[in-house]
Amino acid sequence: MRTRPLKVALLGCGVVGSEVARIMTTHADDLAARIGAPVELAGVAVRRPSKVREGIDPALITTDATALVKRGDIDVVIEVIGGVEPARTLITTAFEHGASVVSANKALLAEAGAALHAAAEEHGADLYYEAAVAGAIPLVRPLRESLAGDKVNRVLGIVNGTTNFILDKMDTSGAGYSEALDEATALGYAEADPTADVEAFDAAAKAAILAGIAFHTRVRLDDVYREGMTEVSAADFASAKRMGCTIKLLAILERAADGESVTARVHPAMIPLTHPLASVREAYNAVFVEAEAAGRLMFYGPGAGGSPTASAVLGDLVAVCRNKVAETTGPGESAYTQLPVSSMGEVVTRYHISLDVADKPGVLAQVATVFAEHGVSIDTVRQQGKDGEASLVVVTHRAPDAALSGTVEALRQLDTVRGVASIMRVEGE
């Protein structure tokens, strides 16, 4: 075993960072045996140095993250501070000074992954980021390495634990969105400002990362269609149950049938109760991968939290340190296909549309005519009426999303349609 320790700089010491530091200390002998060299925590950059951090030598604490990553003796930098800046500058600086990087920063990787990979390659360093997507679930490395010889056609997943917890509570208890969000906040699953989760910004960043790896093409956050879940109602769940479905916030990444483009989207969707993702409960994550040779694969586990995320960070740390000992680097960016990302309007999907309509003869015929004029075929229709008012629920066959959106807009113009109560896509079939 190599005797000189590999020195690690830790940027950020919150919930995840403190757990990483704890595991590095308590499992030091095991990590050394697995790596082939001792690993030493050489510095911890924080914003509030006065805060007591149990188990961490106060002499390691610094507020000067730039000076820490510029030290010539640092072998690996672990970045768990989040956000685009100063994380991007610090990671780039670390590469320039000979360090490899382990990051959990999904927002940064979705925004500037290509530039960071290029910087890592230029300086002969590693960039690993298993913890950026789905917490402890091994997902990035299987896509990047285990399936490197296969062709991935589709990735369908629940990649945000907060939203899954909320939707699960709405489904199982009949709670409204606000009640379920309050419970998630009380239990610590939702932040005081839950916007990044419930408006799907977090899931969209993860979708961009996964799409880039799965399809060997560059997918930025701006390429991902994003729709939040704040409008999902108890009535939507009631409709889903009548169809034998439930509702999940899904990241859906697909290769076109002709192989010439890809799509990346995040939105609420109804999925059949028979689909494996329908049974994913509480704050858990799960990702369903469809590959040409491997077939269908399911990855499941806790998607957030200090210990699960730290587990993924430490797994990357071991891999990067092994590369350091062997004086080599692991796989970098694979974007050779350079496939275009199609717009949401080109995506072929199904719709569940609930309309409030006048309860009189001819309404169904008018509605059906609008669907026909837009080239959208109807799968099922359910109508209920009372006292001059009625509800009409239409489930379509698969059609381009643009045609379905145009249909909905045309329906709004009918005098007999009082309003569109809800619109939701149907997936997983």
Side-chain angles (χ1 to χ4, degrees):
M1 177 184 290
R2 165 176 154 170
T3 57
R4 185 181 75 79
L6 291 160
K7 295 193 175 183
V8 178
L10 178 62
L11 307 183
C13 199
V15 174
V16 176
S18 59
E19 186 67 5
V20 168
R22 184 191 69 79
I23 295 173
M24 284 186 64
T25 301
T26 58
H27 295 179
D29 291 342
D30 286 339
L31 291 173
R34 294 166 192 171
I35 292 167
V39 180
E40 175 187 312
L41 187 60
V44 182
V46 299
R47 287 184 297 176
R48 295 184 294 274
S50 59
K51 181 179 177 180
V52 176
R53 294 172 172 85
E54 189 175 344
I56 298 178
D57 183 351
L60 297 177
I61 301 297
T62 178
T63 57
D64 194 343
T66 301
L68 179 59
V69 299
K70 283 184 175 181
R71 280 174 46 178
D73 63 335
I74 297 296
D75 295 289
V76 182
V77 170
I78 297 176
E79 182 272 309
V80 288
I81 58 177
V84 175
E85 287 293 354
R88 176 175 180 165
T89 300
L90 291 169
I91 289 174
T92 302
T93 302
F95 290 146
E96 292 169 351
H97 287 77
S100 289
V101 172
V102 173
S103 176
N105 195 331
K106 52 190 169 286
L108 174 60
L109 290 159
E111 177 67 28
L116 293 177
H117 275 293
E121 183 177 2
E122 178 185 354
H123 296 286
D126 275 323
L127 173 62
Y128 277 50
Y129 44 89
E130 184 69 66
V133 182
I137 304 173
L139 183 58
V140 171
R141 193 171 292 118
L143 282 174
R144 190 160 72 164
E145 299 179 31
S146 303
L147 294 173
D150 207 340
K151 180 181 180 182
V152 175
N153 291 316
R154 193 168 193 244
V155 179
L156 179 74
I158 298 164
V159 295
N160 182 279
T162 299
T163 55
N164 198 60
F165 179 89
I166 293 170
L167 291 172
D168 182 48
K169 290 302 174 184
M170 293 176 70
D171 184 25
T172 56
S173 70
Y177 167 76
S178 296
E179 296 171 86
L181 174 59
D182 288 344
E183 184 175 354
T185 303
L187 292 172
Y189 292 127
E191 301 287 345
D193 179 2
T195 302
D197 294 322
V198 301
E199 293 296 351
F201 289 102
D202 175 87
K206 295 170 181 175
I209 295 168
L210 291 177
I213 299 169
F215 304 134
H216 303 279
T217 197
R218 287 176 178 168
V219 179
R220 290 169 51 89
L221 183 58
D222 292 345
D223 295 322
V224 181
Y225 172 83
R226 178 191 56 80
E227 184 181 316
M229 51 157 282
T230 57
E231 299 302 317
V232 177
S233 67
D236 291 324
F237 274 101
S239 292
K241 287 181 179 179
R242 282 192 287 268
M243 290 177 59
C245 293
T246 189
I247 299 171
K248 298 293 185 181
L249 184 76
L250 298 177
I252 305 169
L253 321 169
E254 295 176 303
R255 187 190 301 269
D258 62 6
E260 297 301 315
S261 64
V262 298
T263 58
R265 50 195 167 108
V266 175
H267 54 72
M270 293 182 179
I271 58 172
L273 294 174
T274 53
H275 194 282
L277 292 179
S279 61
V280 178
R281 309 294 300 277
E282 300 284 334
Y284 277 74
N285 284 191
V287 178
F288 200 68
V289 177
E290 298 178 17
E292 203 164 84
R296 296 180 172 185
L297 307 172
M298 179 84 161
F299 299 85
Y300 170 84
S307 294
T309 306
S311 171
V313 169
L314 268 296
D316 278 350
L317 177 65
V318 169
V320 169
C321 286
R322 284 173 174 169
N323 291 342
K324 284 283 186 180
V325 171
E327 298 183 346
T328 187
T329 56
E333 182 188 33
S334 175
Y336 71 92
T337 62
Q338 298 183 14
L339 296 173
V341 182
S342 298
S343 68
M344 186 63 192
E346 298 175 73
V347 172
V348 177
T349 186
R350 298 179 66 202
Y351 265 27
H352 174 283
I353 305 169
S354 180
L355 304 171
D356 295 326
V357 299
D359 187 13
K360 63 181 183 180
V363 174
L364 180 55
Q366 287 184 342
V367 169
T369 297
V370 170
F371 278 90
E373 289 173 345
H374 287 79
V376 178
S377 176
I378 295 175
D379 183 15
T380 62
V381 177
R382 186 178 72 252
Q383 184 173 10
Q384 293 178 322
K386 184 179 180 181
D387 300 328
E389 297 295 330
S391 64
L392 188 65
V393 176
V394 179
V395 179
T396 73
H397 286 292
R398 290 170 64 84
D401 199 81
L404 289 162
S405 298
T407 302
V408 172
E409 290 306 309
L411 290 171
R412 296 182 194 274
Q413 306 306 313
L414 293 178
D415 292 338
T416 51
V417 174
R418 310 294 194 220
V420 179
S422 69
I423 307 166
M424 191 166 296
R425 295 173 183 86
V426 183
E427 299 287 345
E429 296 180 310

